[in-house]
Amino acid sequence: MNTNKSFVIFDNMTTIKEISKMANVSPTTVSNVIHGRTKKVSKENIEKIEKILKDTDYVPNMGGRLLARHGSRLIGVIMFYEHRKVLNVTEDPFHGELIGSLESAIREMGYFMILYTTKKYQECIRVSESWNVEGLIILGSSPTDTLNIINHSKVPTVFIDTYIYKGNDKFYNIGLDDFDGGKQVGDYLLSTGHKKIAFLADSENPVGVDAERLRGLKKSYESAGQTFKEDYYIALSHLEDERYKKLSELIQNKTLQQFDALFFASDFYAVDSMNFLYERGIKTPDNISIVGFDNNLLSKESRPKLTTVKQNVFKKGKLSLSLLKCLISNEPVNEKIITLPVELILRESVSSKK
């Protein structure tokens, strides 16, 4: 049956020159609309060109944008990750959730995201310069690397969950009240009769997220008139085999069984270790109480469900982009360092020792 309908088929490699012919305008006018330079373009032409761009699913040539210096519309998300050669950074639900939050916020901003992992600040600078990024979001850098980035980076930069040794006028950070999170866990466990609480993490940096959570736990002991002993800290490896070997040794020499509770610096390590212990006859919370930190998917799906410290990862990502947008646009910034509150979530992995 002939419906007498006509169809226009557009090539997905449509060029600016072709679009200019369709709109009966110059290629320069099309380019101006694509790149947001519309002050000298009539409203009629803007609407006509935008409709054609939409109908043809036009995708701008990013290489051309870089060469033309019209602004790359790229945001670099750099994750300082020491273990990148042996671990996938997105395996931890915390990192996956944060990356998802950042990508969503960057897309809403009309920008594109470049994700890169490194353990050297020099690589961070190279990536930002090579791709002509308009801004950087940095996660997990050490105090020394952070200061080096601040001193050498030529683009607006916002950090996430980062601590530095002293104040700096160019330091912008979105983080948590990690100290309070550690103290909330300590106060709760001590109030429920737990006397020996181990803190388990894979970082021994004197300044940082884990250090602040440990400092909060120590403060709980101090407030209760008790002493957090040096051997209450247990260093875990980021490597699964090494981590399990360490836990096995602690079980075999009866060290682990001497503790009333285990406070892990992340839900990932908490649930992973809880399953490992269960397979060796040590049940949570019957034999030992376990607490994590993050309140991610693992904590809600584990059995028993994990008592943990809740943080708003989505808000952390959104705020970091909001702050970065102000820096890119040279708008005033009300708060350079934003510390988000945390909340202890009580579930089933802790039993009363009273």
Side-chain angles (χ1 to χ4, degrees):
M1 182 175 66
N2 186 359
T3 60
N4 294 320
K5 290 184 178 180
S6 61
F7 297 89
V8 178
I9 300 176
F10 296 108
D11 190 327
N12 61 4
M13 296 298 289
T14 305
T15 66
I16 288 179
K17 187 175 182 180
E18 290 168 339
I19 292 172
S20 70
K21 290 181 179 179
M22 296 176 199
N24 196 28
V25 297
S26 70
T28 300
T29 300
V30 175
S31 179
N32 285 336
V33 172
I34 291 173
H35 298 122
R37 302 188 300 273
T38 57
K39 289 184 179 179
K40 297 183 179 180
V41 183
S42 69
K43 183 179 179 182
E44 179 184 355
N45 280 338
I46 292 173
E47 292 176 350
K48 181 165 53 174
I49 292 169
E50 287 181 342
K51 183 178 186 306
I52 295 173
L53 292 173
K54 182 178 179 181
D55 290 343
T56 59
D57 289 327
Y58 175 78
V59 177
N61 183 306
M62 295 308 295
R65 294 186 63 140
L66 291 172
L67 292 173
R69 298 292 180 183
H70 293 314
S72 65
R73 310 294 287 183
L74 296 176
I75 300 296
V77 176
I78 312 292
M79 306 187 77
F80 275 74
Y81 198 59
E82 292 284 344
H83 325 314
R84 62 179 182 161
K85 290 185 178 180
V86 292
L87 289 178
N88 182 338
V89 69
T90 58
E91 286 182 353
D92 187 332
F94 165 75
H95 289 124
E97 186 178 353
L98 180 58
I99 291 170
S101 172
L102 290 171
E103 193 280 331
S104 174
I106 289 171
R107 182 158 28 88
E108 288 179 9
M109 198 169 133
Y111 281 64
F112 301 87
M113 181 177 82
I114 290 179
L115 176 64
Y116 191 80
T117 59
T118 183
K119 59 179 180 179
K120 297 180 179 179
Y121 84 89
Q122 294 93 335
E123 284 188 25
C124 172
I125 303 301
R126 276 200 299 272
V127 168
S128 66
E129 292 178 349
S130 299
W131 286 89
N132 189 32
V133 300
E134 294 190 33
L136 286 173
I137 299 288
I138 309 289
L139 175 68
S141 58
S142 69
T144 300
D145 285 329
T146 298
L147 290 175
N148 278 321
I149 293 169
I150 290 173
N151 293 330
H152 293 89
S153 177
K154 298 177 182 178
V155 300
T157 303
V158 173
F159 296 85
I160 294 178
D161 288 338
T162 302
Y163 289 85
I164 57 176
Y165 297 115
K166 57 183 179 180
N168 187 293
D169 290 340
K170 296 181 180 179
F171 179 59
Y172 299 87
N173 183 71
I174 309 294
L176 300 176
D177 194 340
D178 294 293
F179 172 83
D180 184 57
K183 189 173 185 304
Q184 285 188 47
V185 172
D187 289 348
Y188 170 64
L189 290 176
L190 290 172
S191 71
T192 50
H194 298 80
K195 297 180 180 179
K196 292 188 67 174
I197 306 166
F199 181 78
L200 302 92
D202 68 354
S203 172
E204 296 186 72
N205 291 330
V207 177
V209 169
D210 291 349
E212 284 299 298
R213 294 170 188 178
L214 175 58
R215 195 168 68 86
L217 177 59
K218 289 180 176 179
K219 183 62 178 179
S220 293
Y221 267 85
E222 180 185 325
S223 299
Q226 301 181 42
T227 302
F228 183 90
K229 298 181 180 179
E230 187 176 335
D231 60 0
Y232 287 9
Y233 176 87
I234 299 176
L236 294 177
S237 173
H238 63 276
L239 297 173
E240 184 178 273
D241 290 345
E242 292 296 319
R243 189 165 65 252
Y244 290 169
K245 181 180 178 181
K246 176 72 172 183
L247 291 172
S248 294
E249 291 174 353
L250 293 172
I251 294 171
Q252 290 171 8
N253 61 27
K254 305 296 183 183
T255 300
L256 196 72
Q257 292 88 324
Q258 294 176 16
F259 289 102
D260 302 313
L262 306 178
F263 173 23
F264 289 85
S266 73
D267 287 350
F268 179 81
Y269 284 148
V271 175
D272 181 62
S273 299
M274 185 164 64
N275 291 336
F276 181 85
L277 297 180
Y278 177 82
E279 291 170 356
R280 284 148 187 81
I282 301 176
K283 297 180 180 181
T284 305
D286 297 345
N287 303 122
I288 196 164
S289 295
I290 289 182
V291 179
F293 202 111
D294 287 333
N295 191 45
N296 61 34
L297 181 64
L298 288 176
S299 68
K300 303 166 188 176
E301 296 300 324
S302 67
R303 295 297 181 271
K305 294 181 180 181
L306 185 68
T307 291
T308 186
V309 177
K310 178 182 179 180
Q311 64 162 307
N312 192 331
V313 178
F314 185 78
K315 186 175 182 179
K316 186 184 289 184
K318 289 287 186 181
L319 284 175
S320 66
L321 259 298
S322 178
L323 181 55
L324 184 63
K325 187 176 181 180
C326 289
L327 297 180
I328 292 173
S329 304
N330 291 314
E331 297 176 9
V333 173
N334 295 324
E335 291 182 90
K336 291 184 176 181
I337 300 175
I338 299 175
T339 303
L340 298 175
V342 295
E343 177 187 359
L344 182 64
I345 304 297
L346 304 180
R347 294 199 179 100
E348 303 161 359
S349 64
V350 174
S351 63
S352 177
K353 298 296 180 181
K354 287 187 174 180

